[in-house]
Amino acid sequence: RVWDMASGRLVRSLPGHDGDVNCITVTDDGRVISGGADGSVRIWDVQTGGQLATGIFDSKLGMPGHILCVDTCCNYKSSIQAATGHHSGEVVIWNVSNENGFPLRETTRLIPSPKLDAASAVWSVAFMSGGSQIAVGDAAGYIT
């Protein structure tokens, strides 16, 4: 849901996830990107409430596909990308520059933790250096 801070009123609901919405971020151009327990990452037009694109996470490690965190940036190649962190310990980079098509295109997959246990879950991601690097925080207390 999108809320007006001054009035406290609901501006718009953005339905679409099947289950918990675990994380959201907003792009520089005002789009909302969300990630959920249903394993989907979605892009929304806040003005219309329309869903612009979706991507479904498929773990390559045989673990749950829950998306726990998301960040976005305009990278050094002048494209907009989003990073999602997952319960499985995987980090996925998505190209969100051209969101007018379904599904979103996965461009890179990282596996920062070699362990496959509860400590491998990625709880935070943040782009650095104009998108050429990414910091990853995991359930074991490490930033890599």
Side-chain angles (χ1 to χ4, degrees), residues 25-64:
T25 190
V26 180
T27 63
D28 289 342
D29 61 4
R31 294 174 292 160
V32 169
I33 300 177
S34 60
D38 60 0
S40 70
V41 58
R42 298 171 187 267
I43 301 179
W44 308 89
D45 180 327
V46 177
Q47 299 303 316
T48 67
Q51 191 176 140
L52 300 173
T54 191
I56 303 297
F57 172 71
D58 179 27
S59 175
K60 304 301 185 205
L61 303 177
M63 302 215 17

PDB file of all heavy atoms in Angstrom, residues 25-64:
ATOM      1  N   THR A  25      11.398  -1.256  -2.671  1.00  0.00           N
ATOM      2  CA  THR A  25      12.283  -0.127  -2.917  1.00  0.00           C
ATOM      3  C   THR A  25      11.646   0.708  -4.015  1.00  0.00           C
ATOM      4  O   THR A  25      10.741   0.247  -4.706  1.00  0.00           O
ATOM      5  CB  THR A  25      13.707  -0.597  -3.305  1.00  0.00           C
ATOM      6  OG1 THR A  25      14.595   0.517  -3.310  1.00  0.00           O
ATOM      7  CG2 THR A  25      13.724  -1.283  -4.662  1.00  0.00           C
ATOM      8  N   VAL A  26      12.117   1.933  -4.149  1.00  0.00           N
ATOM      9  CA  VAL A  26      11.569   2.843  -5.151  1.00  0.00           C
ATOM     10  C   VAL A  26      12.708   3.278  -6.062  1.00  0.00           C
ATOM     11  O   VAL A  26      13.781   3.658  -5.591  1.00  0.00           O
ATOM     12  CB  VAL A  26      10.910   4.071  -4.489  1.00  0.00           C
ATOM     13  CG1 VAL A  26      10.354   5.016  -5.537  1.00  0.00           C
ATOM     14  CG2 VAL A  26       9.812   3.636  -3.528  1.00  0.00           C
ATOM     15  N   THR A  27      12.483   3.227  -7.372  1.00  0.00           N
ATOM     16  CA  THR A  27      13.490   3.666  -8.332  1.00  0.00           C
ATOM     17  C   THR A  27      13.514   5.186  -8.398  1.00  0.00           C
ATOM     18  O   THR A  27      12.577   5.854  -7.943  1.00  0.00           O
ATOM     19  CB  THR A  27      13.204   3.101  -9.743  1.00  0.00           C
ATOM     20  OG1 THR A  27      11.949   3.623 -10.191  1.00  0.00           O
ATOM     21  CG2 THR A  27      13.165   1.582  -9.752  1.00  0.00           C
ATOM     22  N   ASP A  28      14.559   5.736  -8.990  1.00  0.00           N
ATOM     23  CA  ASP A  28      14.672   7.194  -9.129  1.00  0.00           C
ATOM     24  C   ASP A  28      13.522   7.795  -9.930  1.00  0.00           C
ATOM     25  O   ASP A  28      13.160   8.946  -9.734  1.00  0.00           O
ATOM     26  CB  ASP A  28      16.004   7.572  -9.786  1.00  0.00           C
ATOM     27  CG  ASP A  28      17.184   7.341  -8.865  1.00  0.00           C
ATOM     28  OD1 ASP A  28      16.984   7.215  -7.642  1.00  0.00           O
ATOM     29  OD2 ASP A  28      18.324   7.273  -9.365  1.00  0.00           O
ATOM     30  N   ASP A  29      12.931   6.991 -10.830  1.00  0.00           N
ATOM     31  CA  ASP A  29      11.823   7.507 -11.628  1.00  0.00           C
ATOM     32  C   ASP A  29      10.456   7.210 -11.007  1.00  0.00           C
ATOM     33  O   ASP A  29       9.426   7.397 -11.631  1.00  0.00           O
ATOM     34  CB  ASP A  29      11.897   6.999 -13.068  1.00  0.00           C
ATOM     35  CG  ASP A  29      11.821   5.482 -13.182  1.00  0.00           C
ATOM     36  OD1 ASP A  29      11.624   4.794 -12.152  1.00  0.00           O
ATOM     37  OD2 ASP A  29      11.959   4.970 -14.310  1.00  0.00           O
ATOM     38  N   GLY A  30      10.428   6.732  -9.752  1.00  0.00           N
ATOM     39  CA  GLY A  30       9.181   6.596  -9.014  1.00  0.00           C
ATOM     40  C   GLY A  30       8.479   5.261  -9.094  1.00  0.00           C
ATOM     41  O   GLY A  30       7.383   5.118  -8.552  1.00  0.00           O
ATOM     42  N   ARG A  31       9.070   4.279  -9.735  1.00  0.00           N
ATOM     43  CA  ARG A  31       8.448   2.955  -9.767  1.00  0.00           C
ATOM     44  C   ARG A  31       8.741   2.225  -8.454  1.00  0.00           C
ATOM     45  O   ARG A  31       9.777   2.422  -7.834  1.00  0.00           O
ATOM     46  CB  ARG A  31       8.975   2.123 -10.930  1.00  0.00           C
ATOM     47  CG  ARG A  31       8.566   2.705 -12.277  1.00  0.00           C
ATOM     48  CD  ARG A  31       9.206   1.962 -13.416  1.00  0.00           C
ATOM     49  NE  ARG A  31      10.646   2.222 -13.393  1.00  0.00           N
ATOM     50  CZ  ARG A  31      11.551   1.459 -13.987  1.00  0.00           C
ATOM     51  NH1 ARG A  31      11.189   0.399 -14.656  1.00  0.00           N
ATOM     52  NH2 ARG A  31      12.824   1.767 -13.929  1.00  0.00           N
ATOM     53  N   VAL A  32       7.821   1.377  -8.027  1.00  0.00           N
ATOM     54  CA  VAL A  32       8.010   0.552  -6.838  1.00  0.00           C
ATOM     55  C   VAL A  32       8.393  -0.851  -7.290  1.00  0.00           C
ATOM     56  O   VAL A  32       7.776  -1.411  -8.198  1.00  0.00           O
ATOM     57  CB  VAL A  32       6.716   0.505  -5.988  1.00  0.00           C
ATOM     58  CG1 VAL A  32       6.809  -0.557  -4.905  1.00  0.00           C
ATOM     59  CG2 VAL A  32       6.446   1.863  -5.373  1.00  0.00           C
ATOM     60  N   ILE A  33       9.440  -1.395  -6.644  1.00  0.00           N
ATOM     61  CA  ILE A  33       9.847  -2.783  -6.885  1.00  0.00           C
ATOM     62  C   ILE A  33       9.653  -3.528  -5.579  1.00  0.00           C
ATOM     63  O   ILE A  33      10.124  -3.089  -4.529  1.00  0.00           O
ATOM     64  CB  ILE A  33      11.303  -2.886  -7.362  1.00  0.00           C
ATOM     65  CG1 ILE A  33      11.484  -2.105  -8.659  1.00  0.00           C
ATOM     66  CG2 ILE A  33      11.699  -4.350  -7.555  1.00  0.00           C
ATOM     67  CD1 ILE A  33      12.905  -2.090  -9.183  1.00  0.00           C
ATOM     68  N   SER A  34       8.932  -4.648  -5.635  1.00  0.00           N
ATOM     69  CA  SER A  34       8.642  -5.420  -4.433  1.00  0.00           C
ATOM     70  C   SER A  34       9.096  -6.860  -4.603  1.00  0.00           C
ATOM     71  O   SER A  34       9.174  -7.380  -5.704  1.00  0.00           O
ATOM     72  CB  SER A  34       7.138  -5.375  -4.136  1.00  0.00           C
ATOM     73  OG  SER A  34       6.406  -5.928  -5.214  1.00  0.00           O
ATOM     74  N   GLY A  35       9.389  -7.486  -3.466  1.00  0.00           N
ATOM     75  CA  GLY A  35       9.765  -8.893  -3.452  1.00  0.00           C
ATOM     76  C   GLY A  35       8.969  -9.602  -2.378  1.00  0.00           C
ATOM     77  O   GLY A  35       8.706  -9.035  -1.310  1.00  0.00           O
ATOM     78  N   GLY A  36       8.578 -10.846  -2.645  1.00  0.00           N
ATOM     79  CA  GLY A  36       7.706 -11.525  -1.696  1.00  0.00           C
ATOM     80  C   GLY A  36       8.050 -12.972  -1.422  1.00  0.00           C
ATOM     81  O   GLY A  36       8.910 -13.574  -2.062  1.00  0.00           O
ATOM     82  N   ALA A  37       7.334 -13.497  -0.445  1.00  0.00           N
ATOM     83  CA  ALA A  37       7.502 -14.892  -0.061  1.00  0.00           C
ATOM     84  C   ALA A  37       7.052 -15.841  -1.169  1.00  0.00           C
ATOM     85  O   ALA A  37       7.410 -17.016  -1.158  1.00  0.00           O
ATOM     86  CB  ALA A  37       6.719 -15.177   1.218  1.00  0.00           C
ATOM     87  N   ASP A  38       6.301 -15.321  -2.133  1.00  0.00           N
ATOM     88  CA  ASP A  38       5.870 -16.148  -3.260  1.00  0.00           C
ATOM     89  C   ASP A  38       6.970 -16.323  -4.306  1.00  0.00           C
ATOM     90  O   ASP A  38       6.770 -16.974  -5.324  1.00  0.00           O
ATOM     91  CB  ASP A  38       4.617 -15.566  -3.913  1.00  0.00           C
ATOM     92  CG  ASP A  38       4.798 -14.154  -4.459  1.00  0.00           C
ATOM     93  OD1 ASP A  38       5.913 -13.594  -4.347  1.00  0.00           O
ATOM     94  OD2 ASP A  38       3.818 -13.610  -4.995  1.00  0.00           O
ATOM     95  N   GLY A  39       8.147 -15.729  -4.047  1.00  0.00           N
ATOM     96  CA  GLY A  39       9.273 -15.873  -4.973  1.00  0.00           C
ATOM     97  C   GLY A  39       9.224 -14.927  -6.152  1.00  0.00           C
ATOM     98  O   GLY A  39      10.006 -15.060  -7.079  1.00  0.00           O
ATOM     99  N   SER A  40       8.332 -13.944  -6.106  1.00  0.00           N
ATOM    100  CA  SER A  40       8.237 -13.029  -7.242  1.00  0.00           C
ATOM    101  C   SER A  40       8.812 -11.669  -6.896  1.00  0.00           C
ATOM    102  O   SER A  40       8.747 -11.206  -5.760  1.00  0.00           O
ATOM    103  CB  SER A  40       6.787 -12.868  -7.712  1.00  0.00           C
ATOM    104  OG  SER A  40       6.020 -12.154  -6.772  1.00  0.00           O
ATOM    105  N   VAL A  41       9.390 -11.041  -7.921  1.00  0.00           N
ATOM    106  CA  VAL A  41       9.795  -9.637  -7.855  1.00  0.00           C
ATOM    107  C   VAL A  41       8.896  -8.918  -8.857  1.00  0.00           C
ATOM    108  O   VAL A  41       8.698  -9.393  -9.969  1.00  0.00           O
ATOM    109  CB  VAL A  41      11.309  -9.447  -8.152  1.00  0.00           C
ATOM    110  CG1 VAL A  41      11.699  -9.987  -9.500  1.00  0.00           C
ATOM    111  CG2 VAL A  41      11.718  -8.003  -8.026  1.00  0.00           C
ATOM    112  N   ARG A  42       8.306  -7.800  -8.415  1.00  0.00           N
ATOM    113  CA  ARG A  42       7.320  -7.111  -9.245  1.00  0.00           C
ATOM    114  C   ARG A  42       7.637  -5.626  -9.333  1.00  0.00           C
ATOM    115  O   ARG A  42       8.135  -5.036  -8.372  1.00  0.00           O
ATOM    116  CB  ARG A  42       5.911  -7.313  -8.673  1.00  0.00           C
ATOM    117  CG  ARG A  42       5.512  -8.777  -8.663  1.00  0.00           C
ATOM    118  CD  ARG A  42       4.219  -9.013  -7.901  1.00  0.00           C
ATOM    119  NE  ARG A  42       3.952 -10.430  -7.768  1.00  0.00           N
ATOM    120  CZ  ARG A  42       3.207 -11.146  -8.612  1.00  0.00           C
ATOM    121  NH1 ARG A  42       2.642 -10.566  -9.649  1.00  0.00           N
ATOM    122  NH2 ARG A  42       3.033 -12.432  -8.433  1.00  0.00           N
ATOM    123  N   ILE A  43       7.336  -5.032 -10.486  1.00  0.00           N
ATOM    124  CA  ILE A  43       7.520  -3.596 -10.696  1.00  0.00           C
ATOM    125  C   ILE A  43       6.139  -2.971 -10.883  1.00  0.00           C
ATOM    126  O   ILE A  43       5.325  -3.478 -11.663  1.00  0.00           O
ATOM    127  CB  ILE A  43       8.402  -3.292 -11.919  1.00  0.00           C
ATOM    128  CG1 ILE A  43       9.776  -3.937 -11.756  1.00  0.00           C
ATOM    129  CG2 ILE A  43       8.537  -1.792 -12.116  1.00  0.00           C
ATOM    130  CD1 ILE A  43      10.692  -3.713 -12.936  1.00  0.00           C
ATOM    131  N   TRP A  44       5.921  -1.853 -10.184  1.00  0.00           N
ATOM    132  CA  TRP A  44       4.621  -1.198 -10.174  1.00  0.00           C
ATOM    133  C   TRP A  44       4.736   0.254 -10.622  1.00  0.00           C
ATOM    134  O   TRP A  44       5.685   0.929 -10.282  1.00  0.00           O
ATOM    135  CB  TRP A  44       4.058  -1.186  -8.752  1.00  0.00           C
ATOM    136  CG  TRP A  44       4.038  -2.509  -8.088  1.00  0.00           C
ATOM    137  CD1 TRP A  44       5.039  -3.063  -7.338  1.00  0.00           C
ATOM    138  CD2 TRP A  44       2.990  -3.455  -8.101  1.00  0.00           C
ATOM    139  NE1 TRP A  44       4.660  -4.287  -6.891  1.00  0.00           N
ATOM    140  CE2 TRP A  44       3.406  -4.558  -7.338  1.00  0.00           C
ATOM    141  CE3 TRP A  44       1.723  -3.470  -8.680  1.00  0.00           C
ATOM    142  CZ2 TRP A  44       2.604  -5.666  -7.143  1.00  0.00           C
ATOM    143  CZ3 TRP A  44       0.923  -4.583  -8.477  1.00  0.00           C
ATOM    144  CH2 TRP A  44       1.363  -5.666  -7.717  1.00  0.00           C
ATOM    145  N   ASP A  45       3.710   0.721 -11.328  1.00  0.00           N
ATOM    146  CA  ASP A  45       3.535   2.135 -11.627  1.00  0.00           C
ATOM    147  C   ASP A  45       2.639   2.695 -10.526  1.00  0.00           C
ATOM    148  O   ASP A  45       1.457   2.362 -10.461  1.00  0.00           O
ATOM    149  CB  ASP A  45       2.879   2.316 -12.996  1.00  0.00           C
ATOM    150  CG  ASP A  45       2.665   3.770 -13.371  1.00  0.00           C
ATOM    151  OD1 ASP A  45       2.407   4.602 -12.470  1.00  0.00           O
ATOM    152  OD2 ASP A  45       2.732   4.068 -14.572  1.00  0.00           O
ATOM    153  N   VAL A  46       3.189   3.511  -9.646  1.00  0.00           N
ATOM    154  CA  VAL A  46       2.438   4.005  -8.498  1.00  0.00           C
ATOM    155  C   VAL A  46       1.299   4.915  -8.936  1.00  0.00           C
ATOM    156  O   VAL A  46       0.240   4.947  -8.308  1.00  0.00           O
ATOM    157  CB  VAL A  46       3.368   4.729  -7.508  1.00  0.00           C
ATOM    158  CG1 VAL A  46       2.584   5.319  -6.355  1.00  0.00           C
ATOM    159  CG2 VAL A  46       4.412   3.768  -6.984  1.00  0.00           C
ATOM    160  N   GLN A  47       1.480   5.670 -10.011  1.00  0.00           N
ATOM    161  CA  GLN A  47       0.444   6.600 -10.466  1.00  0.00           C
ATOM    162  C   GLN A  47      -0.826   5.879 -10.898  1.00  0.00           C
ATOM    163  O   GLN A  47      -1.928   6.327 -10.596  1.00  0.00           O
ATOM    164  CB  GLN A  47       0.971   7.469 -11.609  1.00  0.00           C
ATOM    165  CG  GLN A  47       2.169   8.319 -11.227  1.00  0.00           C
ATOM    166  CD  GLN A  47       1.888   9.224 -10.040  1.00  0.00           C
ATOM    167  OE1 GLN A  47       0.843   9.851  -9.946  1.00  0.00           O
ATOM    168  NE2 GLN A  47       2.834   9.278  -9.107  1.00  0.00           N
ATOM    169  N   THR A  48      -0.674   4.768 -11.613  1.00  0.00           N
ATOM    170  CA  THR A  48      -1.846   4.049 -12.115  1.00  0.00           C
ATOM    171  C   THR A  48      -2.205   2.837 -11.266  1.00  0.00           C
ATOM    172  O   THR A  48      -3.314   2.322 -11.367  1.00  0.00           O
ATOM    173  CB  THR A  48      -1.596   3.549 -13.553  1.00  0.00           C
ATOM    174  OG1 THR A  48      -0.579   2.540 -13.530  1.00  0.00           O
ATOM    175  CG2 THR A  48      -1.210   4.692 -14.475  1.00  0.00           C
ATOM    176  N   GLY A  49      -1.251   2.351 -10.482  1.00  0.00           N
ATOM    177  CA  GLY A  49      -1.469   1.124  -9.714  1.00  0.00           C
ATOM    178  C   GLY A  49      -1.227  -0.120 -10.536  1.00  0.00           C
ATOM    179  O   GLY A  49      -1.395  -1.231 -10.049  1.00  0.00           O
ATOM    180  N   GLY A  50      -0.832   0.065 -11.792  1.00  0.00           N
ATOM    181  CA  GLY A  50      -0.622  -1.072 -12.674  1.00  0.00           C
ATOM    182  C   GLY A  50       0.699  -1.782 -12.427  1.00  0.00           C
ATOM    183  O   GLY A  50       1.703  -1.164 -12.085  1.00  0.00           O
ATOM    184  N   GLN A  51       0.670  -3.074 -12.607  1.00  0.00           N
ATOM    185  CA  GLN A  51       1.883  -3.873 -12.513  1.00  0.00           C
ATOM    186  C   GLN A  51       2.560  -3.857 -13.876  1.00  0.00           C
ATOM    187  O   GLN A  51       1.949  -4.201 -14.890  1.00  0.00           O
ATOM    188  CB  GLN A  51       1.519  -5.305 -12.105  1.00  0.00           C
ATOM    189  CG  GLN A  51       2.698  -6.115 -11.737  1.00  0.00           C
ATOM    190  CD  GLN A  51       2.297  -7.492 -11.239  1.00  0.00           C
ATOM    191  OE1 GLN A  51       2.949  -8.450 -11.567  1.00  0.00           O
ATOM    192  NE2 GLN A  51       1.222  -7.597 -10.474  1.00  0.00           N
ATOM    193  N   LEU A  52       3.812  -3.416 -13.917  1.00  0.00           N
ATOM    194  CA  LEU A  52       4.533  -3.272 -15.178  1.00  0.00           C
ATOM    195  C   LEU A  52       5.254  -4.543 -15.594  1.00  0.00           C
ATOM    196  O   LEU A  52       5.395  -4.820 -16.779  1.00  0.00           O
ATOM    197  CB  LEU A  52       5.542  -2.124 -15.075  1.00  0.00           C
ATOM    198  CG  LEU A  52       4.950  -0.749 -14.768  1.00  0.00           C
ATOM    199  CD1 LEU A  52       6.063   0.253 -14.516  1.00  0.00           C
ATOM    200  CD2 LEU A  52       4.052  -0.302 -15.894  1.00  0.00           C
ATOM    201  N   ALA A  53       5.759  -5.294 -14.618  1.00  0.00           N
ATOM    202  CA  ALA A  53       6.517  -6.500 -14.941  1.00  0.00           C
ATOM    203  C   ALA A  53       6.644  -7.370 -13.712  1.00  0.00           C
ATOM    204  O   ALA A  53       6.470  -6.913 -12.584  1.00  0.00           O
ATOM    205  CB  ALA A  53       7.906  -6.132 -15.470  1.00  0.00           C
ATOM    206  N   THR A  54       6.951  -8.624 -13.946  1.00  0.00           N
ATOM    207  CA  THR A  54       7.181  -9.557 -12.847  1.00  0.00           C
ATOM    208  C   THR A  54       8.271 -10.540 -13.234  1.00  0.00           C
ATOM    209  O   THR A  54       8.491 -10.800 -14.413  1.00  0.00           O
ATOM    210  CB  THR A  54       5.880 -10.304 -12.470  1.00  0.00           C
ATOM    211  OG1 THR A  54       6.079 -11.007 -11.260  1.00  0.00           O
ATOM    212  CG2 THR A  54       5.464 -11.264 -13.553  1.00  0.00           C
ATOM    213  N   GLY A  55       8.956 -11.034 -12.239  1.00  0.00           N
ATOM    214  CA  GLY A  55       9.951 -12.079 -12.431  1.00  0.00           C
ATOM    215  C   GLY A  55       9.764 -13.106 -11.330  1.00  0.00           C
ATOM    216  O   GLY A  55       9.455 -12.755 -10.197  1.00  0.00           O
ATOM    217  N   ILE A  56       9.927 -14.363 -11.662  1.00  0.00           N
ATOM    218  CA  ILE A  56       9.771 -15.437 -10.685  1.00  0.00           C
ATOM    219  C   ILE A  56      11.135 -16.037 -10.399  1.00  0.00           C
ATOM    220  O   ILE A  56      11.847 -16.467 -11.313  1.00  0.00           O
ATOM    221  CB  ILE A  56       8.802 -16.525 -11.187  1.00  0.00           C
ATOM    222  CG1 ILE A  56       7.439 -15.919 -11.534  1.00  0.00           C
ATOM    223  CG2 ILE A  56       8.669 -17.647 -10.165  1.00  0.00           C
ATOM    224  CD1 ILE A  56       6.700 -15.293 -10.379  1.00  0.00           C
ATOM    225  N   PHE A  57      11.495 -16.074  -9.117  1.00  0.00           N
ATOM    226  CA  PHE A  57      12.769 -16.634  -8.693  1.00  0.00           C
ATOM    227  C   PHE A  57      12.661 -18.140  -8.617  1.00  0.00           C
ATOM    228  O   PHE A  57      11.729 -18.687  -8.049  1.00  0.00           O
ATOM    229  CB  PHE A  57      13.154 -16.062  -7.327  1.00  0.00           C
ATOM    230  CG  PHE A  57      14.350 -16.725  -6.721  1.00  0.00           C
ATOM    231  CD1 PHE A  57      15.609 -16.505  -7.254  1.00  0.00           C
ATOM    232  CD2 PHE A  57      14.221 -17.566  -5.641  1.00  0.00           C
ATOM    233  CE1 PHE A  57      16.724 -17.116  -6.706  1.00  0.00           C
ATOM    234  CE2 PHE A  57      15.324 -18.175  -5.082  1.00  0.00           C
ATOM    235  CZ  PHE A  57      16.577 -17.951  -5.615  1.00  0.00           C
ATOM    236  N   ASP A  58      13.634 -18.823  -9.203  1.00  0.00           N
ATOM    237  CA  ASP A  58      13.717 -20.277  -9.168  1.00  0.00           C
ATOM    238  C   ASP A  58      15.081 -20.637  -8.593  1.00  0.00           C
ATOM    239  O   ASP A  58      16.095 -20.485  -9.259  1.00  0.00           O
ATOM    240  CB  ASP A  58      13.555 -20.843 -10.581  1.00  0.00           C
ATOM    241  CG  ASP A  58      13.668 -22.348 -10.617  1.00  0.00           C
ATOM    242  OD1 ASP A  58      13.364 -23.001  -9.605  1.00  0.00           O
ATOM    243  OD2 ASP A  58      14.081 -22.874 -11.665  1.00  0.00           O
ATOM    244  N   SER A  59      15.101 -21.090  -7.348  1.00  0.00           N
ATOM    245  CA  SER A  59      16.367 -21.407  -6.695  1.00  0.00           C
ATOM    246  C   SER A  59      17.086 -22.522  -7.422  1.00  0.00           C
ATOM    247  O   SER A  59      16.503 -23.545  -7.747  1.00  0.00           O
ATOM    248  CB  SER A  59      16.135 -21.819  -5.240  1.00  0.00           C
ATOM    249  OG  SER A  59      17.353 -22.241  -4.661  1.00  0.00           O
ATOM    250  N   LYS A  60      18.362 -22.312  -7.681  1.00  0.00           N
ATOM    251  CA  LYS A  60      19.193 -23.350  -8.295  1.00  0.00           C
ATOM    252  C   LYS A  60      19.735 -24.311  -7.250  1.00  0.00           C
ATOM    253  O   LYS A  60      20.414 -25.271  -7.568  1.00  0.00           O
ATOM    254  CB  LYS A  60      20.364 -22.714  -9.057  1.00  0.00           C
ATOM    255  CG  LYS A  60      19.946 -21.702 -10.111  1.00  0.00           C
ATOM    256  CD  LYS A  60      19.046 -22.307 -11.159  1.00  0.00           C
ATOM    257  CE  LYS A  60      18.749 -21.299 -12.241  1.00  0.00           C
ATOM    258  NZ  LYS A  60      17.525 -21.523 -12.953  1.00  0.00           N
ATOM    259  N   LEU A  61      19.432 -24.023  -5.953  1.00  0.00           N
ATOM    260  CA  LEU A  61      19.966 -24.829  -4.864  1.00  0.00           C
ATOM    261  C   LEU A  61      18.912 -25.699  -4.195  1.00  0.00           C
ATOM    262  O   LEU A  61      19.164 -26.335  -3.191  1.00  0.00           O
ATOM    263  CB  LEU A  61      20.610 -23.903  -3.809  1.00  0.00           C
ATOM    264  CG  LEU A  61      21.706 -22.982  -4.343  1.00  0.00           C
ATOM    265  CD1 LEU A  61      22.198 -22.074  -3.233  1.00  0.00           C
ATOM    266  CD2 LEU A  61      22.853 -23.790  -4.917  1.00  0.00           C
ATOM    267  N   GLY A  62      17.706 -25.720  -4.740  1.00  0.00           N
ATOM    268  CA  GLY A  62      16.653 -26.560  -4.204  1.00  0.00           C
ATOM    269  C   GLY A  62      16.096 -26.083  -2.873  1.00  0.00           C
ATOM    270  O   GLY A  62      15.590 -26.875  -2.094  1.00  0.00           O
ATOM    271  N   MET A  63      16.189 -24.790  -2.607  1.00  0.00           N
ATOM    272  CA  MET A  63      15.695 -24.232  -1.349  1.00  0.00           C
ATOM    273  C   MET A  63      14.505 -23.331  -1.635  1.00  0.00           C
ATOM    274  O   MET A  63      14.233 -23.014  -2.787  1.00  0.00           O
ATOM    275  CB  MET A  63      16.818 -23.451  -0.654  1.00  0.00           C
ATOM    276  CG  MET A  63      18.019 -24.313  -0.387  1.00  0.00           C
ATOM    277  SD  MET A  63      18.952 -24.037   1.099  1.00  0.00           S
ATOM    278  CE  MET A  63      18.047 -23.121   2.239  1.00  0.00           C
ATOM    279  N   PRO A  64      13.777 -22.891  -0.574  1.00  0.00           N
ATOM    280  CA  PRO A  64      12.629 -22.007  -0.796  1.00  0.00           C
ATOM    281  C   PRO A  64      13.031 -20.744  -1.553  1.00  0.00           C
ATOM    282  O   PRO A  64      14.140 -20.237  -1.390  1.00  0.00           O
ATOM    283  CB  PRO A  64      12.175 -21.657   0.630  1.00  0.00           C
ATOM    284  CG  PRO A  64      12.686 -22.766   1.477  1.00  0.00           C
ATOM    285  CD  PRO A  64      13.974 -23.219   0.829  1.00  0.00           C
TER     286      PRO A  64
END
